[in-house]
Amino acid sequence: MYVAVKGGEQAIDNAHRLLAAKRRGDPALPDLDVAQIDGQLALAVARVMAEGSLYDRSLAALAIKQARGDLIEAIFLVRAFRTTLPRFGACEPVDTGAMAVERRVSATFKDLPGGQVLGPTFDYTHRLIDFALAAGFAPPPPAEAEPEADGAMPRVTDLLGEEDLIERETADDRPPADLTREPLSFPAERDIRLQNLARGDEGFLLGLGYSTQRGFGRTHPFVGEVRFGAVELDFVPEELGFPVPLGTIEVTECQMVNQFAGSAERPPQFTRGYGLVFGQSERKAMSMALVDRALRAREFGEDVVAPAQDEEFVLSHSDNVQATGFVEHLKLPHYVDFQAELELVRRLRAEHAAREADGRPHYEEAAE
Amino acid sequence: MALCAGATAAELAAALDGLGPIAAHEELRAPEPGLVMVRGRMGGDGRPFNLGEATVTRAVVRLATGETGFAYQLGRDRDKARRAALLDALAQIRPAAVSAALAPIRNRIEAERDVARRRTAATRVNFFTLQRGEDT
């Protein structure tokens, strides 16, 4: 019997009022300002922009406040917000070679044009809790030095490219497919895969990238380069017909250099994996580059044996908004489904008990 | 246009104030927030792919004298977009005055970029060679 029920409206309203009070916290303490979140929790803001797939610092900061610091909830809010706005069009592809670099390191070349620039990094810190931060001490002003006259920082892959030691990308300008407009289908081309990975969950991609290092689809990676900084966005509005500078956004780029592919026609060459994400997030950019390379297995004739090489597995499970929706929906009322299961298990138990009483064996049925 | 994109709404208001009484104008397109798709290239130099979207606000104004000014800029600040469009229109009739009014913004952005470059340069690694094994 199916009985439709409704109720709980008052409880839901009151739950949300309680949530708002909990979010505010102790009223004796100052309210958290969105600009403070943007400035002081900048890497959380970066993650929400990257996985929310929307570059807007103050919006992401507000979403973090609204979500009480639950970043996946904040990402969900940002994804919902973007559906309310019209799309004016697509920008010209960003030129990461012209980036105003704040950080750039290479694990493959010590001396490269532009040098190794550490920028604001947790690397080489001792990971000791700094109690001075709790005491509110102001940090010393950052050191300054004269920048190089020629500030050019060519991409590492261009250096290897000169000797043809590394595969070259082909820059044909077909408009890329867009998974916000077309549902995912398989096999997926690399443009779709990269879009999916760029908005994919950092933890999921980190785990997959790590699995390739541990032997599940090994690709022998080196970090050719990681760079972080600001790039210009140019957009050609239809009514103007020429590029308009929209402003700058910060991105992190990772060029992963992997072991060789070659053939009877072509001498061995390094292969490549690529990561590009909004904001400062090396962990995400590096994981993305590892998984991008693993997903190119088919292209290089490698056996698809590991989860990170299986594009359907990776692309279908990388989106944390989809994942959390499906996992968390389990806590919503399933009274009717569960009632059906209860009826079934009661009937099975009754049949079992009847067989026991008759002294009949029941393994025959169990073997079916 | 790049200058206006990097400015704050308050800076653009100050620039307009500096230009004296503003010529009569109308909004052809009221400031409207929307999205643009940001693209990257595979490997930095290969085929384009969609990286994610960014918020953009656009506005169009027309002066009574006929000049049309456009603004397309990152973010959701409607006032800033309206002021930028007006400055774009005014730049067509009073280019020198508008350029002078925007000079403080240019100077502020350049000063900030310079400090950022100097701070970054201070984190550049200078390798030095330790005593080599065969020399000992």
Side-chain angles (χ1 to χ4, degrees), chain A residues 1-239:
Chain A
M1 184 175 58
Y2 181 83
V3 183
V5 294
K6 62 180 283 185
E9 277 170 50
Q10 190 64 51
I12 290 169
D13 283 349
N14 290 344
H16 292 166
R17 277 172 64 175
L18 180 58
L19 170 69
K22 285 278 188 186
R23 174 193 297 129
R24 175 59 183 85
D26 183 351
L29 295 175
D31 190 24
L32 193 51
D33 193 72
V34 170
Q36 286 179 309
I37 297 174
D38 184 359
Q40 297 177 45
L41 298 179
L43 303 189
V45 169
R47 180 164 179 195
V48 171
M49 294 195 301
E51 295 170 35
S53 202
L54 183 63
Y55 197 98
D56 186 323
R57 295 202 66 93
S58 59
L59 188 82
L62 176 57
I64 290 169
K65 179 174 179 175
Q66 187 178 334
R68 303 178 69 195
D70 178 340
L71 297 189
I72 293 183
E73 180 71 17
I75 289 159
F76 198 158
L77 293 170
V78 166
R79 291 271 188 96
F81 179 84
R82 69 158 283 280
T83 64
T84 65
L85 294 177
R87 190 190 284 177
F88 298 153
C91 293
E92 302 297 299
V94 295
D95 180 3
T96 53
M99 179 186 287
V101 169
E102 268 194 63
R103 170 168 165 79
R104 186 270 210 120
V105 291
S106 169
T108 51
F109 296 102
K110 183 166 67 70
D111 302 303
L112 72 176
Q116 309 264 359
V117 179
L118 301 182
T121 181
F122 294 121
D123 294 355
Y124 315 110
T125 63
H126 294 104
R127 267 72 182 209
L128 298 173
I129 290 280
D130 182 0
F131 291 97
L133 283 174
F137 289 132
E144 294 188 20
E146 204 54 48
E148 286 202 325
D150 170 26
M153 278 201 194
R155 283 181 289 253
V156 151
T157 43
D158 297 338
L159 306 176
L160 281 172
E162 281 167 15
E163 279 185 80
D164 237 10
L165 293 175
I166 189 163
E167 59 159 330
R168 298 252 190 187
E169 298 286 351
T170 45
D172 85 71
D173 277 356
R174 266 180 293 155
D178 183 355
L179 57 78
T180 67
R181 298 295 158 99
E182 300 281 335
L184 200 55
S185 65
F186 302 101
E189 290 292 312
R190 195 174 174 209
D191 52 354
I192 283 284
R193 300 199 303 253
L194 286 170
Q195 183 181 10
N196 177 288
L197 297 178
R199 71 211 304 258
D201 184 77
E202 179 175 315
F204 182 73
L205 298 187
L206 175 66
L208 283 172
Y210 181 41
S211 74
T212 68
Q213 290 181 282
R214 292 196 63 258
F216 291 83
R218 194 181 289 280
T219 56
H220 304 275
F222 292 93
V223 171
E225 177 183 277
V226 170
R227 60 169 65 195
F228 158 69
V231 291
E232 305 272 347
L233 277 191
D234 283 326
F235 174 64
V236 181
E238 243 174 59
E239 67 272 29

Side-chain angles (χ1 to χ4, degrees), chain B residues 56-114:
Chain B
V56 167
T57 302
R58 66 181 177 190
V60 187
V61 300
R62 184 163 61 198
L63 301 181
T65 44
E67 291 80 8
T68 311
F70 289 85
Y72 271 88
Q73 44 190 226
L74 288 175
R76 287 166 291 122
D77 193 332
R78 289 177 161 89
D79 288 335
K80 188 182 148 194
R82 184 185 295 114
R83 289 166 195 163
L86 187 52
L87 284 162
D88 184 47
L90 291 170
Q92 294 163 49
I93 48 174
R94 299 167 61 192
V98 170
S99 177
L102 294 177
I105 302 172
R106 185 179 303 114
N107 294 339
R108 193 262 304 162
I109 292 173
E110 276 176 14
E112 282 180 6
R113 278 199 188 143
D114 188 49

Side-chain angles (χ1 to χ4, degrees), chain A residues 108-109 156-158 160-161 164-169 190 193 217-225 254-263 266-275 289-302 309, chain B residues 42-43 45:
Chain A
T108 51
F109 296 102
V156 151
T157 43
D158 297 338
L160 281 172
D164 237 10
L165 293 175
I166 189 163
E167 59 159 330
R168 298 252 190 187
E169 298 286 351
R190 195 174 174 209
R193 300 199 303 253
R218 194 181 289 280
T219 56
H220 304 275
F222 292 93
V223 171
E225 177 183 277
C254 174
Q255 303 273 2
M256 206 62 87
V257 177
N258 304 74
Q259 231 177 35
F260 325 117
S263 63
R266 274 211 329 219
Q269 270 187 321
F270 285 110
T271 58
R272 299 165 69 169
Y274 187 64
L290 287 172
V291 177
D292 171 47
R293 174 58 188 82
L295 288 176
R296 298 180 69 198
R298 268 190 296 127
E299 192 183 326
F300 295 121
E302 296 163 349
Q309 298 169 313
Chain B
M42 298 172 190
D45 55 357

